[in-house]
Amino acid sequence: MKRPYKIAVVGPESTGKSVLSAELASYFQCAYVPEVAREYLNTIKRPYVEDDLLAIAKIQVEKEDALLSQQQKVLICDTTLLVIRIWSEVKYERCEKWILQEENSREYDFFLLTNIDLPWEDDPQREHPTMREALFSRYYDALLAKDVKFEVVSGMGVQRLNNALKSIQKQIPELFSKLLDF
């Protein structure tokens, strides 16, 4: 059996990745891999350190692989190791070798890069409100360097979801076997 189509949602913090991922999973009636960093950081009850990023990466991969083994047509991934790599490079100016190797070995059919057009929402786990443009550029350049299919998704509220669906339909039309209303 063919593996599910994997759609990854990536981008800087406070750009609606988790909301969009949940909306896409609801639309496609499929599972999605939530970002594990938030839950992990809430449980450690101390400032995170570089080793925590490796732990987060390993949990993220485990959850993705567990859901990938289920028989479904689509799997939405709210973040990938690309996000953890960029986080590590910005925070520590380096990235663990395991994360780099694992990132390069994982395949996704399409990436949605969330634009920075949503207002910043302050949160104790968010660190870079003044670096949004620089971080967005890092993601954009990283996806170009990977030579993968991706599109930037913009818009507020339901328009963001509709724009994401249009991008997915353009890149993976077979997911839309009947006329869809979006």
Side-chain angles (χ1 to χ4, degrees):
M1 179 179 152
K2 183 185 182 302
R3 73 160 170 77
Y5 288 98
K6 288 172 56 179
I7 299 170
V9 182
V10 299
E13 55 194 356
S14 193
T15 57
K17 294 182 297 294
S18 296
V19 170
L20 181 59
S21 295
E23 291 172 340
L24 289 170
S26 176
Y27 181 86
F28 286 111
Q29 298 179 354
C30 68
Y32 80 99
V33 185
E35 177 191 33
V36 301
R38 181 169 297 280
E39 181 181 342
Y40 179 94
L41 295 174
N42 282 337
T43 63
I44 61 172
K45 299 183 186 336
R46 61 169 167 75
Y48 73 89
V49 295
E50 187 176 6
D51 286 344
D52 289 316
L53 299 186
L54 180 59
I56 290 166
K58 288 183 176 184
I59 297 167
Q60 192 74 46
V61 165
E62 286 173 14
K63 290 191 179 246
E64 182 178 313
D65 288 348
L67 288 173
L68 191 60
S69 68
Q70 297 177 0
Q71 293 186 356
Q72 54 188 352
K73 191 172 184 177
V74 182
L75 180 63
I76 306 297
C77 300
D78 173 8
T79 209
T80 68
L81 295 181
L82 169 66
V83 174
I84 297 170
R85 172 175 56 96
I86 289 175
W87 177 12
S88 184
E89 290 171 348
V90 169
K91 180 78 173 181
Y92 299 106
E93 298 180 355
R94 56 173 252 102
C95 186
E96 285 287 336
K97 187 176 182 179
W98 184 90
I99 295 171
L100 297 172
Q101 290 173 335
E102 191 67 22
E103 175 195 357
N104 289 328
S105 73
R106 304 188 79 73
E107 294 182 12
Y108 300 88
D109 296 289
F110 186 55
F111 286 83
L112 291 168
L113 172 57
T114 51
N115 204 345
I116 56 173
D117 58 337
L118 296 181
W120 175 266
E121 290 186 22
D122 201 27
D123 174 316
Q125 292 183 1
R126 294 183 176 147
E127 300 177 306
H128 303 292
T130 62
M131 292 181 59
R132 296 181 87 196
E133 287 180 25
L135 288 169
F136 179 83
S137 292
R138 272 186 101 121
Y139 282 98
Y140 191 89
D141 293 346
L143 290 168
L144 282 177
K146 285 178 151 311
D147 194 28
V148 295
K149 293 180 188 176
F150 79 96
E151 286 197 27
V152 175
V153 63
S154 302
M156 302 294 265
V158 72
Q159 189 60 47
R160 197 176 198 87
L161 173 61
N162 288 340
N163 291 340
L165 289 168
K166 287 174 186 174
S167 293
I168 294 166
Q169 185 177 37
K170 186 167 59 173
Q171 294 297 323
I172 312 173
E174 56 272 25
L175 290 180
F176 298 85
S177 58
K178 59 184 179 191
L179 186 58
L180 301 173
D181 182 28
F182 56 84

